[in-house]
């Protein structure tokens, strides 16, 4: 008998405690839940907390609950999961490329719905057009840029000098990159490569991103702006993939198989790879840890240089209560103010997506110290949007699988892309 | 009187368990089967009855077949290998090895770690060039491999981790069973001049059959249930070389939000588990005697 | 297996093989342990005399709310354990002492859950929780597991092995059903309870996929999901941080294991065979 009572009491208390802790304190303030991914390392959660505190100090009737949700993919999954179960976050930082998926699942509301005054419109117009392009669908602005990036090339100046190259010159064309890569590839006595010329991450998530850049450098886009048609069998697209595969197969300057994005920065720091293709977001990490001089370069072209845009936008979720959405809008305006974007850009290496941010004193001082970030900014006008279609997760996977098959030699570039195009056509046809 | 009292008390005592099992095992099984006959609702479009369309799609889906093949390979390697290794470990530990307790702990420690922790550690070890495994291979001149990035080796790399983690767990059960074998039996065998090999084959292994069955059930459940390492290390890549069925279900259900298709895939998984259960429990009835 | 059985060289070989395998088995753990305590530069470069540091652990501790994750896991596992003990005992008791027509068939149905764990039915169970409004709660994570088929099976075995005479004697002394359960069956089944307890605690402490799907927020995330969320930074994996975070996550279990090694091993042994 006693056991029953004890167990019952224990269970009730436990449940109450669990419920109380999980639902959080009850306040009279408007509560805004903010899901965000952190892509460049743990301590940044402290910075976000700092921003939240400043915002709350200026807006005492609003409480922001920041929820760190993992990487981009995880944050998207979490946001969609929460939205579908009736408890959406109010605002979230999600990939710009998720836009079609979010619209199709009917979980987000256009930012343009909240833009009412002339001030609002001025604010909206202050974002860089290249970044806004991927946020507009059917004439409405669905999201605003927040932590955006472009893909860049980092090169090891010390290795270049060692190999007899001019350490200040970075490759401007594909053939230059191959030539420099060959010069700087180093082998040991047994013929094993100890330093590769160039590494382009080909893992899921990085592959489709950087392939967009390669295709753009060759003068083509992978998909249309409406996100319902892809162009993977275009000969120039196939040529771009062939170029990537040949970096290892023919020229021997790229690690075999798939280069992992996660280990690429440390590969660079360990001088295992002399030129890496990765995000501007890695700049702070490399600056802090590199024991050699390195540079940040725009991508080479074939012949016109081009890169790909990346990163996350701020989305408002449709089914959150109206008062919360209004409050979220205030938070979004706060987060995208010129000063804050400059601060965030300096601390992370993300590119501030507003021209105004680049004119702030803090940013100008930082650019004087680290002129490399201007390189990233200047590449934006020649950068194309990231892979983005309806059912993005699925089509992205098909493309990534195709790229992996080509990079590991299981399929020829032609076949891999042809198969992928056919599969994606079947997925996208209903959306036309 | 007694029968109706039994019914009353019996039902009351069973009520919580039955309700929970219904809600989280039986009703979902039925729900999954029904869902697999409908299309996926998307935003504004509700689900529509499509009959066996999802199954037709599955039949035509190369990724599904890859997942099935992978799961088969995975099961057929991890299960016998980890069991055999577990038996060897148990025999080693039981043979009054010096420092027996330490050795036993060494074998068992990977088991108590969560698979996600194991996966993170091994992600580090499989890193090309400076990872422990590649450094070891470099001694033989085979370095520079991205074991997780090559379709031929990725699944094998995951299988190695699973065996590393699970063998110690099964070892414990074998150890218990070994210790229950009457020493008189073994002495009789040695008196009759039987070699170690003969004793092993004729006496020890047959007596271990119940344990082997129990361990194999656990191993099979684990082979289909545990996909944590895929989520952490490869996410099914490269090119689906490491996609297992439950992982594919997770990807389709929570990545693509294609719940209709995920239901069809789940039905297949349920069928596989049911078949295995039938086989094992049917077999069990003949071989195992409880007391 | 007595040592007289085989001759000396065989014994030596067995010792050597056993030790070699053991070293091979713990080597990964030692290396991960070593990396966690050394600065990031040495993650890729093994230098025996590099400085030891606690910096990684400090950074990890401040980067993610591990204390909260531990609390969540502890709350989750305790809830599951207590509820499972109660519910499964009740069910086993019913099967053994209050059989009625159809209870055998019911028991067969219970066994289904042995093979079909709740995570297999991921999508449906998620939907059910959503309807109950229990998403992103500790109770929600626990609910599908509370009626453990393994527990019912095990306890039924144990109860069955208790002689009927004891029950009859207790009844003659005027004990009712619940008193018989509490004063007779439960104490006699204590070894089984301990065995089962350890099995279920380690299972649920290490469970990942279901909690991953169910939880969204820090307040409910258990340590396995917390570790994963922390480690999936897509750019620049810092191995020292990841190994430090991993070491941190497994410490409670390893410490518990080291302290209660013998009971742990013995309980697993008991849980299987009978």
């Amino acid at each position: 008998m006693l056991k029953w009572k004890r167990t019952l009491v224990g269970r009730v208390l436990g449940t109450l405690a669990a419920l109380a802790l999980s639902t959080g304190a009850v306040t009279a303030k408007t509560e805004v839940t903010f899901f965000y991914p952190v892509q460049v390392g743990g301590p940044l959660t402290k910075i976000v907390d700092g921003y939240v505190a400043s915002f709350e100090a200026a807006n005492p009737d609003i409480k922001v609950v920041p929820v760190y949700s993992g990487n981009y993919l995880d944050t998207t999954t979490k946001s969609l999961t929460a939205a579908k179960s009736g408890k959406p976050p109010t605002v979230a930082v999600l990939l710009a490329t998720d836009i079609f998926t979010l619209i199709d699942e009917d979980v987000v509301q256009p930012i343009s719905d909240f833009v009412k005054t002339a001030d609002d419109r001025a604010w909206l117009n202050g974002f860089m057009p290249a970044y806004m392009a991927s946020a507009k669908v059917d004439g409405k602005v669905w999201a605003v840029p927040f932590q955006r990036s472009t893909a860049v090339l980092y090169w090891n100046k010390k290795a270049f000098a060692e190999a007899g190259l001019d350490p200040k010159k970075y490759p401007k064309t594909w053939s230059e990159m191959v030539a420099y890569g060959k010069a700087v590839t180093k082998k040991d006595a047994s013929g094993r490569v100890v330093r590769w010329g160039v590494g382009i991450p080909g893992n899921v998530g990085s592959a489709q991103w950087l392939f967009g850049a390669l295709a753009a450098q060759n003068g083509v886009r992978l998909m249309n702006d409406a996100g319902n048609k892809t162009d993977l069998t275009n000969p120039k697209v196939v040529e771009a993939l062939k170029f990537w595969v040949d970096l290892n197969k023919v020229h021997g300057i790229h690690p075999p198989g798939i280069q992992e994005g996660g280990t690429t920065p440390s590969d660079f720091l360990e001088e295992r790879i002399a030129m890496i293709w990765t995000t501007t977001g890695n700049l702070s990490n490399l600056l802090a840890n590199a024991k050699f001089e390195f540079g940040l370069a725009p991508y080479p072209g074939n012949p016109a240089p081009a890169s790909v845009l990346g990163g996350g936008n701020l989305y408002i979720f449709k089914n959150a209560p109206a008062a919360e959405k209004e409050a979220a809008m205030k938070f979004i305006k706060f987060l995208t103010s010129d000063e804050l974007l400059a601060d965030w850009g300096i601390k992370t290496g993300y590119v501030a997506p507003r021209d105004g941010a680049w004119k702030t004193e803090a940013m100008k001082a930082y650019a004087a110290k680290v002129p490399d970030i201007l390189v990233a900014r200047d590449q934006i006008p020649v950068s194309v949007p990231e892979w983005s279609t309806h059912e993005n997760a699925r089509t992205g996977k098909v493309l990534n699988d195709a790229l992996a098959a080509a990079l590991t030699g299981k399929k020829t570039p032609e076949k891999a892309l042809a198969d992928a195009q056919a599969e994606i056509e079947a997925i996208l046809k209903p959306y036309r | 009187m007694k029968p109706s009292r039994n019914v009353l008390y019996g039902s009351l005592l069973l009520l919580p368990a039955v309700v929970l099992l219904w809600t989280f095992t039986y009703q979902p099984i039925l729900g999954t089967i029904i869902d697999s006959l409908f299309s996926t609702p998307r935003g504004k479009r509700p689900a529509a009855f499509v009959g066996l369309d999802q199954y037709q799609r599955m039949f035509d889906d190369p990724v599904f077949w890859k997942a099935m093949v992978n799961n088969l390979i995975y099961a057929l390697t991890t299960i016998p290998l980890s069991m055999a290794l577990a038996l060897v470990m148990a025999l080693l530990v039981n043979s009054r090895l010096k420092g027996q307790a330490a050795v036993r702990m060494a074998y068992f420690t990977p088991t108590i770690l969560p698979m996600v922790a194991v996966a993170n550690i091994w992600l580090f070890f499989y890193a090309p060039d400076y990872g422990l495994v590649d450094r070891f291979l470099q001694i033989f001149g085979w370095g520079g491999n991205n074991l997780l990035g090559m379709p031929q080796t990725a699944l094998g790399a995951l299988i190695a981790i699973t065996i590393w983690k699970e063998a110690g767990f099964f070892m414990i059960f074998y150890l218990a069973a070994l210790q229950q074998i009457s020493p008189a039996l073994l002495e009789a065998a040695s008196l009759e001049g039987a070699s170690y090999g003969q004793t092993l084959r004729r006496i020890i292994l047959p007596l271990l059959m119940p344990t082997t069955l129990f361990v194999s059930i656990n191993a099979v459940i684990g082979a289909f249930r545990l996909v944590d390492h895929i989520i952490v290390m490869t996410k099914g890549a490269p090119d689906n070389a490491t996609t297992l069925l439950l992982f594919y279900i997770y990807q389709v259900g929570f990545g693509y939000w294609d719940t209709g298709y995920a239901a069809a895939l789940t039905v297949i998984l349920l069928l596989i588990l049911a078949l295995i259960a039938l086989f094992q429990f049917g077999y069990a009835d003949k071989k195992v005697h409880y007391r | 297996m007595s040592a007289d059985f085989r001759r000396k060289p065989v014994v030596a070989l067995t010792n050597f093989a056993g030790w070699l395998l053991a070293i091979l088995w713990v080597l990964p753990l030692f290396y991960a342990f070593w990396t966690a305590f050394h600065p990031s530069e040495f993650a890729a470069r093994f230098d025996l005399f590099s400085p030891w540091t606690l910096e990684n652990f400090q950074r990890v501790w401040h980067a993610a709310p591990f204390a909260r994750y531990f609390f969540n896991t502890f709350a989750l596992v305790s809830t599951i354990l207590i509820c499972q003990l109660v519910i499964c005992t009740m069910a086993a008791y019913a099967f053994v002492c209050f059989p009625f027509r159809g209870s055998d068939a019911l028991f067969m149905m219970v066994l289904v859950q042995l093979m079909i764990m709740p995570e297999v039915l991921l999508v449906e169970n998620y939907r059910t929780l959503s309807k109950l409004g229990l998403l992103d709660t500790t109770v929600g994570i626990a609910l599908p597991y509370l009626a453990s088929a393994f527990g019912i099976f095990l306890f039924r075995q144990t109860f069955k092995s208790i002689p009927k005479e004891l029950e009859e004697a207790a009844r003659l002394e005027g004990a009712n059903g619940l008193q018989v359960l509490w004063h007779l069956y439960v104490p006699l089944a204590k070894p089984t309870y301990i065995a089962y307890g350890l099995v279920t605690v380690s299972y649920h402490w290490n469970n990942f996929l279901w909690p991953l799907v169910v939880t969204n927020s820090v307040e409910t995330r258990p340590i396995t999901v917390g570790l994963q969320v922390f480690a999936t930074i897509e750019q620049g994996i810092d191995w020292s941080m990841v190994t430090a975070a991993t070491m941190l996550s497994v410490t409670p279990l390893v410490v518990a294991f080291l302290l209660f090694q013998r009971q742990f091993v013995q309980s697993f042994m008991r849980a299987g065979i009978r």
Side-chain angles (χ1 to χ4, degrees), chain A residues 156-239:
Chain A
N156 184 334
K157 290 188 181 168
K158 182 175 124 206
F160 268 40
E162 254 180 49
L165 298 166
D166 179 355
K168 292 207 220 28
K169 265 185 69 175
Y170 54 82
K172 295 208 176 63
T173 64
W174 279 6
S175 28
E176 270 182 21
M177 191 172 84
V178 172
Y180 292 9
K182 285 196 178 144
V184 94
T185 299
K186 200 162 73 165
K187 298 195 175 139
D188 69 7
S190 66
R192 197 174 67 88
V193 177
V194 293
R195 183 172 66 207
W196 295 97
V198 61
I200 303 179
N203 58 309
V204 172
S206 310
Q208 96 280 358
W209 193 49
L210 294 171
F211 186 58
L214 276 168
Q217 286 152 27
N218 210 23
V220 278
R221 289 275 310 268
L222 294 176
M223 77 281 168
N224 65 353
D225 280 332
N228 55 22
K229 193 156 168 45
T230 57
D231 194 16
L232 297 177
T233 46
N234 184 317
K236 284 185 153 259
V237 173
V238 178
E239 201 183 2

Side-chain angles (χ1 to χ4, degrees), chain B residues 118-135 145 147-148 164 233, chain C residues 26-33 35 239 243:
Chain B
V118 169
N120 274 311
I121 295 175
W122 280 87
L123 195 58
F124 177 36
F125 293 151
Y126 280 136
D129 286 341
Y130 52 78
L132 202 60
V133 175
D134 212 35
R135 268 202 249 223
N145 308 292
L147 290 166
L148 288 175
W164 183 71
M233 298 174 88
Chain C
V26 283
L27 194 63
L29 285 173
F30 279 153
Y31 192 52
F33 183 79
T35 307
W239 290 118
T243 43

Side-chain angles (χ1 to χ4, degrees), chain A residues 230 232 394-395 397-399 401-402 411 416-429, chain B residues 60-63 239-240 248 256:
Chain A
T230 57
L232 297 177
R394 190 166 239 148
T395 60
K397 180 162 184 340
V398 173
L399 178 59
D401 285 349
K411 289 188 188 171
L417 287 172
D419 288 348
Q421 177 70 14
E423 228 187 300
I424 296 179
E425 263 300 288
I427 299 174
L428 291 182
K429 223 160 84 159
Chain B
D60 293 332
D61 181 3
V63 180
D239 194 21
N240 300 308
Y248 194 39
Y256 309 157

Side-chain angles (χ1 to χ4, degrees), chain B residues 8 15 95 111 130 138 236-237 250:
Chain B
L8 180 64
L15 198 62
S95 65
T111 304
Y130 52 78
Q138 276 166 25
Y250 169 67

Side-chain angles (χ1 to χ4, degrees), chain A residues 35-48:
Chain A
F35 281 16
Y36 70 99
V38 168
Q39 284 297 91
V40 288
L44 293 179
T45 49
K46 283 241 160 40
I47 300 179
V48 170

Side-chain angles (χ1 to χ4, degrees), chain A residues 37-209:
Chain A
V38 168
Q39 284 297 91
V40 288
L44 293 179
T45 49
K46 283 241 160 40
I47 300 179
V48 170
D49 289 343
Y51 294 158
V52 165
S54 317
F55 176 73
E56 283 180 342
N59 294 275
D61 57 329
I62 305 181
K63 180 170 164 57
V64 176
V65 180
V67 179
Y68 162 48
S69 316
N71 61 17
Y72 278 123
L73 202 59
D74 289 342
T75 306
T76 307
T77 307
K78 289 293 161 204
S79 306
L80 274 172
T81 310
K84 277 164 172 280
S85 66
K87 265 182 29 171
T90 332
V91 54
V93 174
L94 300 175
L95 280 174
T97 62
D98 283 331
I99 186 167
F100 291 109
T101 308
L102 293 168
I103 296 175
D104 287 339
E105 295 286 352
D106 204 22
V107 294
V108 288
Q109 185 162 358
I111 298 280
S112 33
D113 282 1
F114 298 91
V115 167
K116 300 181 192 100
T117 68
D119 271 348
D120 289 345
R121 278 191 287 278
W123 163 78
L124 199 59
N125 286 330
F127 289 100
M128 293 176 184
Y131 284 125
M132 285 303 275
S134 52
K136 285 202 188 120
V137 175
D138 288 338
K140 299 202 204 139
V141 176
W142 288 84
V144 287
F146 176 57
Q147 51 185 50
R148 303 305 303 265
S149 59
T150 72
V152 291
L153 184 145
Y154 296 96
W155 87 96
N156 184 334
K157 290 188 181 168
K158 182 175 124 206
F160 268 40
E162 254 180 49
L165 298 166
D166 179 355
K168 292 207 220 28
K169 265 185 69 175
Y170 54 82
K172 295 208 176 63
T173 64
W174 279 6
S175 28
E176 270 182 21
M177 191 172 84
V178 172
Y180 292 9
K182 285 196 178 144
V184 94
T185 299
K186 200 162 73 165
K187 298 195 175 139
D188 69 7
S190 66
R192 197 174 67 88
V193 177
V194 293
R195 183 172 66 207
W196 295 97
V198 61
I200 303 179
N203 58 309
V204 172
S206 310
Q208 96 280 358
W209 193 49

Side-chain angles (χ1 to χ4, degrees), chain A residues 245-266:
Chain A
V245 171
D246 285 347
L247 286 175
N248 173 264
K249 214 168 88 166
V250 171
H251 306 294
I253 57 175
H254 185 285
I258 299 194
Q259 171 66 17
E260 290 293 324
T263 51
T264 300
S266 51

